[in-house]
Amino acid sequence: MASGYLCSMSKKVRVRFAPSPTGGLHLGGMRTVLYNYLFAKKNSGDFIVRIEDTDQSRYVAGAEEYIFNCLKWAGLEPDESTIHGGEYKPYRQSERKDIYRKYAEQLIKDGHAYYAFDTPEELEKMRNDFKTDHNHSPQYDGLVRMKMRNSVTLSSDETKKLLDEGARHVIRIKMPEHETITFIDMIRGEVSFDTSLVDDKVLLKADGMPTYHLAVVVDDYLMKISHAFRGEEWLSSAPVHVLLWKYLFGINEMPQWAHLPLILGPNGKLSKRDGAKYGFPVFAMNWTDPKTHELVEGFKEKGFLPEAFLNLLALLGWNDGTEQEIFTKEELIEKFSIERIHSSGAKFDYEKAKWFNHEWMKRLQISDLPAGRQGLRFQIETFFNTKGITISDNVKFEKIIALVKDRCNLLTDFYDQSYFFFITPDKWDVDAVKPKWNEDKKNYFESWVSKLTDTKEWDSVSLENDFKLLAAEKNIKPGELLLPLRVMLVGGKFGPPVFEIAAVLGKEETIKRIKSAIIMFQ
RNA sequence: GGCCCGUUCGUCUAAGGGUUAGGACACCACCCUUUCACGGUGGUGAUACGAGUUCGAAUCUCGUACGGGCUACCA
């Protein structure tokens, strides 16, 4: 197990994360950022977020803003300069093409890379020709290299001629024949690969854009990254990156890698399709795929609290060794350690995710939100607005939220749990009352209403006292009257304690609902 | 097919050679509550398999099985 990297660190911690904007910001990506953030915070380091900007993703407009907003919502304090400016700009790969080409040419000069002129058709043919039962997908390796059109097989005159003519070409790394590449992963410890099993990866594409392999190494060097976190899916290409560091900048300059275990859906790697299929969000915030126009729902819009989102994400593959499960962001920063990150993938469990949110809902203090969190109040009000309810009385609103939050899993549950405070129910569970409804009860409620009309005290305790006093006078068990009263006020058998409801509804509305219900129960 | 990574209740996980293998979600039962929840108490439920090392293995080693990842001019 790797250890001691904290004390041996000589430069500032900078962590880097490269989300793919084509797919929004999913759970795995978000967790990578979170671990980056926790690690950087803990070590007073910088936190660089950079977005891959490749030919495939360039069509995505607004991706930077989207990711910025996701991080902001989750409380990961993104600094606008880490996306658009600052010391290391530009960040878009398309604006750094010259830099990548310079390093790619450098590799060729040193004999570690070469020009390859093969067309896609020729590559396709090669893969077909070399395909055997024992080798499903032949690679562009040391053997194949000698049979293709590239600057290794071509004479230098031929190569120069092609380049001068402007022939389409890529630059490939020349993998050494039999070398064992070993590096230390912060989570897995020592990992080694044989170079003969890795192919000559493309470093610079025909359009002049770098592949991830070149970009990650060059950028991490230029941006002085000391620790790099990424998903486990990158582990198999790590030897390419290690080699590039060795050739370009020296192995001692290489950042420390942490390959995070994958977050799994019900069937393997979590995909955005899983969300639609199984009914849970996979992205931090709503994301509309610009090509397919398909909307993928986000945790925010689904009604998750950012505190809960961070909490559940952090615990998916990490724990502090105690039985504590609810952590504030500050506690996470304090207790986070890379040593305790798991090496195996974790299956995402939506039921448990909702439990985390419920725990945070119970802790929610809407009347006492810190300055930076007013957006949450706006969000809750918006949920009501979309259902046709406008919040006019803030004090009442806060009381209602406090009254029902314990029984809500998601912010969106607020409506179902409390709409009857704002609008008179249009449906009553008459069947629950009618069989036991009689003249005595009718008389009771009629006299209670007339008492209420004169009462001055309007709080849940005195309402309940008066209610029970009158019941004793009329010789009726209070228990017989509570259910009818509840149905009168809320329409059904649910909701917070009934006298609390009456207290919040107010005198006029309470009396009105009882009166109309008495008529209905006939 | 090849390579890499992994494997403790259904799920997330604790236990760093000695524990009745602990906790949480979910599920079930009971209690609380004259509604629905919250909450409380208890229950069902796991070391993939096979060898080896050891007085002693979930823990160390090897093999097998299973799962996942990679195998693109995608990231």
Side-chain angles (χ1 to χ4, degrees):
Chain A
M1 205 46 163
S3 63
Y5 59 90
L6 287 179
C7 21
S8 67
M9 217 155 47
S10 56
K11 50 187 171 181
K12 265 171 100 181
V13 181
R14 294 178 200 282
V15 288
R16 169 188 187 277
F17 170 65
S20 152
T22 45
L25 188 46
H26 58 90
L27 278 173
M30 200 65 201
R31 191 189 55 182
T32 308
V33 183
L34 172 61
Y35 286 177
N36 273 202
Y37 171 85
L38 296 176
F39 183 78
K41 270 280 176 185
K42 190 163 181 139
N43 298 288
S44 333
D46 294 351
F47 170 53
I48 296 183
V49 173
R50 226 205 38 162
I51 298 170
E52 296 298 339
D53 164 36
T54 67
D55 54 347
Q56 201 186 52
S57 59
R58 226 175 305 154
Y59 66 88
V60 179
E64 284 125 332
E65 286 70 21
Y66 169 76
I67 287 172
F68 183 84
N69 287 335
C70 286
L71 302 189
K72 198 171 159 192
W73 169 68
L76 296 184
E77 309 173 74
D79 176 348
E80 193 109 31
S81 73
T82 64
I83 289 180
H84 291 295
E87 212 182 326
Y88 302 104
K89 69 176 181 185
Y91 298 99
R92 295 184 177 187
Q93 287 180 2
S94 48
E95 291 164 24
R96 299 168 68 81
K97 280 168 93 167
D98 294 346
I99 303 173
Y100 302 121
R101 178 160 285 275
K102 190 188 103 190
Y103 285 104
E105 301 279 358
Q106 177 70 41
L107 285 165
I108 294 178
K109 224 179 85 200
D110 297 342
H112 297 306
Y114 57 90
Y115 299 105
F117 301 96
D118 317 288
T119 62
E121 294 73 31
E122 285 167 336
L123 287 173
E124 178 74 9
K125 185 172 182 304
M126 178 276 280
R127 292 203 177 95
N128 275 323
D129 290 353
F130 290 92
K131 198 154 145 190
T132 64
D133 287 347
H134 297 291
N135 191 354
H136 283 188
S137 54
Q139 311 201 81
Y140 204 116
D141 59 12
L143 234 60
V144 170
R145 184 195 303 149
M146 302 314 291
K147 295 171 181 160
M148 306 296 285
R149 286 201 311 133
N150 52 50
S151 61
V152 179
T153 56
L154 266 30
S155 72
S156 52
D157 284 349
E158 285 172 309
T159 302
K160 188 169 181 305
K161 189 168 169 266
L162 280 168
L163 288 176
D164 289 345
E165 285 169 0
R168 272 180 78 85
H169 65 276
V170 301
I171 295 178
R172 286 180 181 271
I173 187 172
K174 194 192 220 165
M175 290 302 284
E177 249 177 73
H178 272 294
E179 211 175 286
T180 304
I181 304 288
T182 301
F183 70 98
I184 306 289
D185 180 87
M186 286 189 281
I187 293 170
R188 280 150 231 282
E190 197 177 288
V191 182
S192 34
F193 294 86
D194 190 324
T195 53
S196 63
L197 273 354
V198 185
D199 62 340
D200 288 355
K201 291 266 181 258
V202 170
L203 301 178
L204 204 70
K205 299 185 252 183
D207 63 359
M209 290 287 281
T211 59
Y212 176 82
H213 308 297
L214 214 219
V216 75
V217 172
V218 168
D219 291 346
D220 282 359
Y221 173 75
L222 293 176
M223 296 178 191
K224 299 190 168 62
I225 302 297
S226 61
H227 295 75
F229 293 64
R230 60 185 181 187
E232 192 186 339
E233 68 267 32
W234 289 108
L235 196 54
S236 19
S237 40
V240 178
H241 309 149
V242 173
L243 235 30
L244 287 175
W245 272 97
K246 193 173 143 194
Y247 296 153
L248 248 17
F249 312 113
I251 205 75
N252 294 330
E253 298 296 308
M254 190 171 76
Q256 307 219 24
W257 298 101
H259 289 93
L260 303 176
L262 265 13
I263 295 179
L264 278 7
N267 305 305
K269 195 173 162 183
L270 191 70
S271 72
K272 63 179 180 183
R273 302 192 63 83
D274 285 335
K277 217 159 130 193
Y278 301 100
F280 56 77
V282 294
F283 285 178
M285 287 170 64
N286 275 3
W287 174 255
T288 306
D289 189 301
K291 265 188 180 165
T292 62
H293 301 288
E294 171 195 7
L295 173 79
V296 184
E297 194 177 31
F299 278 86
K300 180 188 175 189
E301 289 81 1
K302 189 76 183 177
F304 276 79
L305 289 165
E307 291 86 350
F309 183 57
L310 235 46
N311 194 163
L312 73 92
L313 220 41
L315 272 278
L316 213 49
W318 173 89
N319 71 83
D320 74 340
T322 71
E323 281 171 5
Q324 183 176 352
E325 297 209 77
I326 303 300
F327 292 89
T328 62
K329 192 173 75 177
E330 289 66 34
E331 285 174 314
L332 286 173
I333 293 169
E334 186 199 327
K335 295 178 177 171
F336 184 73
S337 69
I338 292 190
E339 291 79 7
R340 292 203 61 92
I341 298 179
H342 272 241
S343 47
S344 55
K347 204 177 275 186
F348 175 67
D349 180 0
Y350 187 47
E351 291 305 318
K352 183 121 189 191
K354 280 192 290 193
W355 174 78
F356 273 111
N357 203 58
H358 184 214
E359 288 299 311
W360 280 99
M361 290 288 276
K362 288 193 282 183
R363 289 163 173 76
L364 180 65
Q365 292 289 348
I366 191 144
S367 55
D368 196 24
L369 281 177
R373 296 296 316 280
Q374 290 305 318
L376 178 62
R377 190 192 184 105
F378 177 74
Q379 191 190 355
I380 297 172
E381 287 188 24
T382 305
F383 281 133
F384 280 100
N385 292 343
T386 55
K387 296 277 195 176
I389 292 173
T390 312
I391 308 299
S392 47
D393 184 340
N394 277 330
V395 177
K396 184 177 160 190
F397 178 60
E398 284 166 13
K399 268 191 205 159
I400 292 167
I401 295 298
L403 215 46
V404 301
K405 62 178 181 164
D406 280 9
R407 55 198 77 210
C408 296
N409 278 321
L410 302 169
L411 290 171
T412 45
D413 294 340
F414 276 139
Y415 175 80
D416 286 339
Q417 292 294 337
S418 69
Y419 65 89
F420 48 81
F421 285 110
F422 304 98
I423 48 176
T424 309
D426 54 3
K427 262 189 220 146
W428 284 264
D429 190 353
V430 180
D431 295 341
V433 180
K434 238 183 171 169
K436 292 187 176 175
W437 188 251
N438 54 34
E439 277 303 302
D440 289 348
K441 286 181 183 169
K442 186 185 163 199
N443 289 338
Y444 172 88
F445 279 104
E446 274 165 356
S447 44
W448 195 46
V449 163
S450 64
K451 269 191 124 172
L452 287 180
T453 314
D454 299 329
T455 193
K456 296 208 169 54
E457 301 286 317
W458 197 268
D459 60 86
S460 62
V461 177
S462 29
L463 282 170
E464 183 165 2
N465 284 340
D466 293 349
F467 184 86
K468 286 185 174 162
L469 234 52
L470 184 62
E473 247 173 60
K474 303 238 173 208
N475 215 7
I476 306 180
K477 281 189 213 151
E480 300 272 306
L481 300 163
L482 283 168
L483 186 64
L485 177 61
R486 169 171 298 280
V487 175
M488 287 169 171
L489 297 185
V490 311
K493 295 191 278 185
F494 54 86
V498 70
F499 295 105
E500 302 273 6
I501 296 173
V504 172
L505 276 179
K507 189 165 160 177
E508 193 187 334
E509 180 69 16
T510 303
I511 291 172
K512 197 183 106 196
R513 290 192 191 182
I514 295 174
K515 275 184 174 168
S516 56
I518 290 174
I519 296 165
M520 194 165 12
F521 289 158
Q522 290 305 321

